[in-house]
């Protein structure tokens, strides 16, 4: 008991002990939420005697899950508790993956499915052809899935041509996934929910299995995640959620702030515990954060109190244009590094990615190394996607999507016409391309050159060899892959070959290291772990970090610079932006800083082809950093793309938002018929 409560303040200890009712731990930035939730898990297991297998703790990133797991196990190591099973602590999507491995057969699917990422999804949609932009279709399908709208539902609601085309592509896409035994990220939760919803007995059994459920970053949950949680809590109310309504910044991707604001209504017996002592930032930084966020009306309310002392005043950087701004910031960063500050403790944040260009130029001029979070991701580089496709074929040789990607990479003399003919013949034979080629090896010579025919036969032989090695000596898989297919040799001959080969070597090293640490893993396991990687898992500690405010969530640095604090840039104004969510973004940006915070604004910027004169952000005045006129504005929680319900016209999607006096008017597409409706007459779905 002593070890669990060591270092906890009164509010944290109260949250740990409250275990017999729904609990909302309203945890301000830097208030020790991770310590609180891991202490609560240890308390349940070591003091109350709850079976670890009866607990389920869900997070949003692998990084957070790993940190929590390590902290919880460290606490439990102080006790003589013998754990038959460790507590399940993972991301929502990892939970969905584990659940589907056991139960996806209830949907008539096989358990050796492979998870695809967004890039794969777009390539599949692109292969169908069509008039609509692939990115838009991919985004719309994701919205459909998270609203539990089936292709049939989408078709029945579609009256306009584009929506009918969208519904048709959605149907093709779903059929393709089913035929190739693939699931996308949304499916990990959608299919899990459908299985639980369709099978009340399994739902009750699953709820009984996980008697104590904890959710981190609850303000980031969307409607589907909330509905999934209601299934998991169907036989009990032992749910504890941790979150901060003031850090709800993902409304644009479906997060619903009402989940945390209405927790006490969803679970009437709930207890709310506020964590307001901040262990991260100085009093000067927290004063600005508290003053800024107090201007929001849609919040539960709390005031952060620093335990770190007064600290240095916030610095305001004024520049005439973006070039001067980047030079001033680069110069200040150079001075910090020269006086011995570790570069990994320095970050520059911006509201929109377009502002990074001038910043990068300034850093380059000053010779400062930086890591951009949100650039081209490692796993989305062509050479890495190729390697992943080879491994997917090892896991499932009938994966036509992966085979199509690498059948002529390295070059085997197969042109697009030949590959398309192969795909057509396989489809007509009702076989996968791999099956068709294997069963018609001699006949292949009639549709391709002799050289290509020999290369394809060798390809099939090598693939079979690779599968054997995967089942018998998985650690050797990389050596065999390289020896048989020559991926590095192929890429080394390209203009940027050195960089590409370095990336391949990095991937090979990652695979070998993963096998060393998990000797019993399969290729499936490795691929599914890769699919769950996030931006923050890839941050490099050897340079300063530059990133969007969204990407900085959950991180902290000793020295933080926030650039672009001008009206129209931060806050972003127009196009349905929500000023309260913008203000929460400002709050998140400020509270990333531990020791020193610098805020900058520019009198003008060259943006979208022209130079624009700007005024400084209202947030500078609202946070008390400088004088200025206070801007009051009515806010709307609606944004473009939201699904809404009207009592007469039914379900529609918001396509445009405009201001009418002190109200907001929404243009809503009701199955192809567009109508202008005042915002107060509809509700979000």
């Amino acid at each position: 008991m002593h070890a669990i409560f060591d270092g906890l303040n009164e509010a944290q200890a109260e949250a740990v002990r409250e275990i017999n009712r729904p609990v909302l731990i309203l945890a301000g930035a830097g208030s020790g939420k991770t310590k609180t939730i891991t202490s609560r898990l240890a308390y349940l297991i070591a003091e109350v005697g709850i079976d670890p297998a009866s607990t389920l703790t869900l997070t949003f990133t692998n990084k957070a899950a790993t940190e929590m797991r390590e902290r919880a196990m460290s606490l439990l190591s102080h006790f003589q508790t013998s754990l038959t099973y460790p507590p399940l602590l993972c991301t929502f999507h990892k939970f969905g993956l584990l659940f589907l491995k056991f139960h996806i057969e209830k949907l008539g699917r096989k358990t050796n499915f492979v998870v695809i990422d967004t890039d794969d999804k777009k390539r599949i949609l692109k292969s169908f052809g069509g008039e609509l932009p692939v990115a838009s279709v991919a985004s719309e399908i994701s919205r459909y899935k998270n609203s539990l709208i089936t292709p049939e539902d989408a078709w029945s609601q579609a009256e306009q041509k584009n929506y009918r085309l969208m519904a048709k592509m959605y149907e093709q896409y779903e059929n393709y996934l089913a035929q190739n035994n693939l699931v996308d990220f949304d499916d990990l939760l959608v299919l899990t929910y459908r299985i639980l919803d369709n099978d009340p007995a399994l739902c009750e059994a699953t709820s009984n299995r996980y008697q104590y459920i904890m959710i981190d970053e609850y303000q980031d949950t969307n409607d589907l995640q909330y509905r999934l949680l209601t299934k998991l809590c169907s036989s009990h109310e032992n749910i504890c959620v941790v979150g901060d309504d003031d850090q709800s910044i993902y409304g644009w991707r479906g997060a619903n702030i009402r989940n945390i604001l209405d927790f006490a209504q969803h679970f009437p017996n709930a207890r709310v515990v506020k964590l307001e002592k901040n262990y991260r930032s100085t009093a000067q930084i927290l004063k600005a954060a508290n003053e800024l966020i107090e201007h929001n009306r849609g919040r539960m309310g709390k005031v952060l109190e620093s335990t770190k002392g007064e600290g240095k005043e916030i610095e305001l950087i004024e520049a005439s244009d973006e070039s001067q701004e980047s030079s001033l910031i680069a110069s200040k960063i150079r001075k910090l590094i020269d006086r011995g500050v570790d570069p990994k403790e320095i970050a520059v944040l911006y509201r929109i990615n377009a502002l990074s260009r001038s910043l990068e130029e300034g850093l380059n001029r000053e010779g400062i190394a930086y890591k951009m979070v949100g650039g081209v991701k490692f796993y989305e580089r062509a050479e890495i996607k190729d390697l992943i496709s080879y491994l997917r074929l090892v896991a499932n040789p009938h994966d036509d999507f992966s085979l199509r990607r690498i059948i002529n990479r390295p070059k085997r003399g197969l042109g697009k016409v030949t590959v398309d003919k192969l795909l057509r013949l396989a489809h007509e034979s009702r076989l996968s391309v791999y099956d068709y080629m294997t069963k018609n090896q001699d006949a292949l010579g009639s549709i391709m050159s002799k050289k290509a025919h020999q290369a394809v036969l060798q390809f099939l032989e090598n693939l079979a060899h690779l599968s054997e090695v995967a089942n018998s000596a998985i650690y050797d898989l990389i050596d065999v892959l390289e020896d048989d297919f020559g991926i590095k040799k192929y890429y080394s001959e390209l203009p940027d070959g050195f960089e590409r080969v370095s990336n391949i070597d990095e991937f090979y090293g990652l695979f070998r290291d993963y096998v060393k640490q998990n000797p019993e893993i399969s290729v499936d396991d490795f691929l599914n772990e890769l699919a769950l990687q996030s931006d923050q898992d890839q941050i490099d500690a050897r340079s300063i970090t530059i990133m969007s405010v969204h990407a900085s969530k959950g991180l902290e640095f000793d020295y933080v610079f926030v650039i672009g604090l001008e009206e129209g840039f931060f806050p972003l104004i127009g196009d349905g932006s929500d000023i309260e969510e913008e203000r929460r973004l400002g709050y998140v940006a400020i509270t990333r800083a531990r020791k020193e915070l610098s805020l900058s604004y520019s009198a003008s910027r060259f943006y979208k082809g022209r130079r624009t004169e700007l005024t400084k952000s209202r947030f500078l005045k609202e946070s008390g950093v400088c004088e200025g006129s206070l801007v009051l504005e009515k806010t709307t929680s609606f944004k473009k793309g939201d699904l809404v319900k009207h009592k007469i016209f039914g379900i529609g999607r918001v396509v445009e938002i405009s201001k009418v006096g002190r109200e907001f008017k929404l243009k809503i597409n009701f199955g192809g018929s567009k109508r202008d409706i005042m915002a107060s007459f509809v509700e979000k779905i």
Side-chain angles (χ1 to χ4, degrees):
M1 174 77 79
H2 179 67
I4 290 176
F5 289 93
D6 274 355
L8 294 182
N9 63 40
E10 189 177 335
Q12 290 171 330
E14 189 181 332
V16 167
R17 289 192 179 96
E18 188 64 83
I19 61 169
N20 292 317
R21 62 198 291 189
V23 180
L24 164 58
I25 303 174
L26 195 63
S31 63
K33 72 177 181 65
T34 301
K35 184 172 186 176
T36 305
I37 198 170
T38 52
S39 296
R40 191 175 188 275
L41 180 59
Y43 178 73
L44 282 169
I45 295 168
E47 282 299 321
V48 183
I50 301 301
D51 181 355
S54 296
T55 69
L56 172 63
T57 306
L58 297 176
T59 70
F60 278 85
T61 67
N62 294 311
K63 182 182 176 184
T66 300
E67 182 184 356
M68 285 190 175
R69 189 179 302 109
E70 289 173 353
R71 288 207 200 180
M73 297 310 288
S74 175
L75 268 176
L76 289 169
S77 68
H78 289 277
F79 301 87
Q80 300 301 316
T81 309
S82 177
L83 299 183
T84 309
Y85 299 100
L88 181 53
L89 203 162
C90 60
T91 64
F92 271 92
H93 290 92
K94 181 65 178 286
F95 173 76
L97 174 65
L98 295 171
F99 183 87
L100 292 179
K101 282 290 183 183
F102 285 100
H103 301 295
I104 198 170
E105 288 177 326
K106 289 183 178 291
L107 298 175
R109 302 279 293 272
K110 295 179 181 177
T111 57
N112 67 333
F113 61 84
V114 168
V115 183
I116 63 169
D117 62 17
T118 305
D119 192 42
D120 298 325
K121 179 179 181 178
K122 289 177 181 176
R123 288 177 186 275
I124 292 169
L125 291 169
K126 189 176 181 181
S127 71
F128 301 151
E131 307 168 25
L132 303 176
V134 168
S136 298
V137 177
S139 178
E140 192 71 5
I141 287 174
S142 185
R143 288 197 188 99
Y144 282 144
K145 288 192 175 190
N146 279 279
S147 301
L148 296 174
I149 293 174
T150 65
E152 293 76 22
D153 295 333
W155 179 262
S156 66
Q157 294 173 16
E159 295 180 12
Q160 195 180 45
K161 179 186 175 184
N162 280 356
Y163 280 91
R164 288 195 294 272
L165 292 174
M166 193 89 70
K168 183 65 178 173
M169 288 189 76
Y170 181 21
E171 181 182 33
Q172 284 180 280
Y173 174 70
E174 288 293 86
N175 289 338
Y176 186 96
L177 294 189
Q179 289 164 9
N180 289 279
N181 206 24
L182 304 172
V183 301
D184 63 22
F185 249 48
D186 296 318
D187 287 332
L188 294 175
L189 300 186
V190 173
L191 300 183
T192 296
Y193 175 80
R194 284 194 174 139
I195 290 169
L196 291 172
D197 194 44
N198 293 339
D199 192 333
L202 176 61
C203 182
E204 184 178 2
T206 304
S207 181
N208 285 331
R209 176 177 180 180
Y210 299 113
Q211 284 289 318
Y212 288 86
I213 295 173
M214 289 191 280
I215 314 297
D216 188 26
E217 303 286 9
Y218 190 64
Q219 77 282 346
D220 294 339
T221 53
N222 63 20
D223 294 333
L224 174 59
Q225 286 159 341
Y226 166 71
R227 292 175 74 168
L228 181 57
L229 288 172
T230 62
K231 294 294 181 186
L232 296 176
C233 293
S234 60
S235 69
H236 62 79
E237 283 196 332
N238 297 326
I239 181 171
C240 172
V241 303
V242 186
D244 184 0
D245 54 329
D246 292 333
Q247 294 187 73
S248 179
I249 60 174
Y250 296 118
W252 52 277
R253 71 180 188 197
N256 187 354
I257 193 173
R258 301 310 312 180
N259 289 347
I260 191 166
L261 294 179
D262 297 341
F263 184 79
Q265 282 73 52
H266 295 154
F267 299 92
N269 192 34
R271 170 90 179 272
V272 178
V273 180
K274 295 183 181 181
L275 305 185
E276 297 175 293
K277 280 192 177 178
N278 177 283
Y279 297 92
R280 176 189 300 162
S281 308
T282 64
Q284 290 280 355
I285 293 167
L286 294 185
K287 179 175 179 289
N290 286 328
E291 288 189 20
L292 174 64
I293 204 63
E294 277 178 8
H295 288 79
N296 271 5
R297 285 165 284 182
R299 62 189 294 259
M300 299 183 76
K302 63 184 174 311
V303 178
L304 295 180
E305 177 189 338
S306 176
T307 62
K308 293 291 186 182
E310 194 65 16
K312 187 178 176 182
E313 280 191 14
I314 294 171
E315 180 181 22
L316 183 62
I317 300 173
E318 304 175 59
S320 58
D321 58 25
E322 68 273 22
S323 180
Q324 186 187 23
E325 178 188 56
S326 63
S327 294
L328 287 170
I329 288 173
S331 176
K332 290 177 183 298
I333 291 173
R334 169 53 62 201
K335 287 175 183 174
L336 287 173
I337 294 171
D338 287 347
R339 79 174 201 225
V341 172
D342 189 335
K344 73 177 182 182
E345 295 299 348
I346 303 171
V348 187
L349 312 181
Y350 38 80
R351 171 65 181 90
I352 57 175
N353 291 319
L355 297 193
S356 73
R357 181 192 60 81
S358 58
L359 174 64
E360 289 184 75
E361 288 176 359
L363 295 172
N364 287 330
R365 283 194 300 269
E366 198 65 50
I368 297 170
Y370 62 88
K371 164 73 176 180
M372 178 189 284
V373 176
V376 178
K377 299 174 188 173
F378 181 76
Y379 296 107
E380 291 180 359
R381 291 168 179 162
E383 61 274 19
I384 303 304
K385 297 291 284 184
D386 287 351
L387 292 171
I388 290 172
S389 292
Y390 273 102
L391 294 183
R392 281 181 173 165
L393 284 173
V394 171
N396 175 18
H398 309 296
D399 178 356
D400 285 354
F401 174 70
S402 294
L403 188 140
R404 182 173 185 173
R405 178 182 177 93
I406 51 86
I407 193 170
N408 199 40
R409 196 177 298 171
K411 301 289 185 184
R412 297 185 179 90
L414 294 171
K416 184 179 184 302
V417 174
T418 303
V419 172
D420 287 345
K421 192 169 185 180
L422 262 177
L423 291 168
R424 180 174 56 78
L425 290 170
H427 179 72
E428 290 172 355
S429 304
R430 296 177 181 269
L431 296 170
S432 69
V433 177
Y434 176 84
D435 258 351
Y436 179 83
M437 291 195 300
T438 303
K439 293 175 179 177
N440 298 276
Q441 293 190 26
D442 293 337
L444 292 177
S446 63
I447 62 170
M448 60 185 70
S449 68
K450 185 177 180 180
K451 182 180 177 182
H453 185 209
Q454 289 301 314
V456 166
L457 296 180
Q458 187 65 54
F459 170 76
L460 293 172
E461 184 179 328
N462 290 345
L463 204 55
H465 181 213
L466 207 57
S467 296
E468 289 173 15
V469 174
N471 293 324
S472 59
I474 193 168
Y475 186 80
D476 298 329
L477 188 67
I478 289 301
D479 291 332
V480 174
L481 173 62
E482 190 54 42
D483 290 342
D484 285 358
F485 294 98
I487 314 293
K488 281 165 68 171
K489 182 178 184 299
Y490 167 70
Y491 273 109
S492 67
E493 294 169 358
L494 298 180
D496 55 349
F498 178 82
E499 184 180 345
R500 289 179 182 266
V501 170
S502 296
N503 293 334
I504 291 169
D505 284 335
E506 181 75 10
F507 183 87
Y508 285 173
L510 176 74
F511 181 89
R512 291 190 180 102
D513 188 57
Y514 191 80
V515 173
K516 273 185 182 177
Q517 294 182 37
N518 306 273
E520 302 300 319
I521 64 126
S522 67
V523 173
D524 272 3
D525 295 330
F526 176 71
L527 290 171
N528 288 329
E529 282 296 325
L530 288 191
L532 298 174
Q533 296 291 330
S534 72
D535 272 4
Q536 290 187 5
D537 296 329
Q538 305 303 325
I539 290 176
D540 184 358
R542 292 171 295 194
S543 55
I544 77 158
T545 304
I546 68 173
M547 67 180 105
S548 69
V549 179
H550 281 102
S552 75
K553 175 95 171 7
L555 303 175
E556 56 186 72
F557 304 88
D558 284 347
Y559 302 88
V560 170
F561 297 82
V562 185
I563 68 171
L565 279 154
E566 304 102 24
E567 288 292 297
F569 285 91
F570 200 178
L572 202 59
I573 297 171
D575 199 25
S577 62
D578 179 350
I579 191 63
E580 295 219 346
E581 182 154 317
E582 290 295 308
R583 200 172 278 114
R584 293 194 292 269
L585 269 170
Y587 175 85
V588 167
I590 290 171
T591 54
R592 296 313 92 198
R594 287 190 287 245
K595 294 181 179 177
E596 294 184 18
L597 174 66
S598 300
L599 307 176
S600 83
Y601 73 91
S602 179
S604 73
R605 289 189 187 278
F606 192 78
Y607 183 62
K608 291 189 176 178
R610 63 189 178 92
R611 180 153 298 282
T612 306
E613 299 299 315
L614 304 167
T615 58
K616 59 189 174 185
S617 170
R618 72 188 75 181
F619 293 168
L620 295 172
K621 160 65 179 173
E622 291 178 355
S623 59
V625 174
C626 72
E627 295 300 318
S629 56
L630 191 62
V631 183
L632 295 176
E633 187 173 303
K634 187 176 176 66
T635 180
T636 176
S637 62
F638 295 102
K639 59 189 180 303
K640 283 175 68 174
D642 277 349
L643 276 176
V644 295
K645 186 176 182 180
H646 187 273
K647 62 183 179 181
I648 295 174
F649 302 121
I651 294 173
R653 191 176 295 284
V654 177
V655 295
E656 190 178 305
I657 300 174
S658 56
K659 194 98 176 288
V660 179
R662 302 183 69 180
E663 263 289 353
F664 282 89
K665 181 172 70 176
L666 311 178
K667 185 178 287 294
I668 305 170
N669 188 320
F670 294 99
S673 174
K674 292 182 181 178
R675 300 178 184 272
D676 291 329
I677 306 285
M678 301 309 289
S680 55
F681 285 82
V682 297
E683 60 179 350
K684 276 188 187 179
I685 295 179

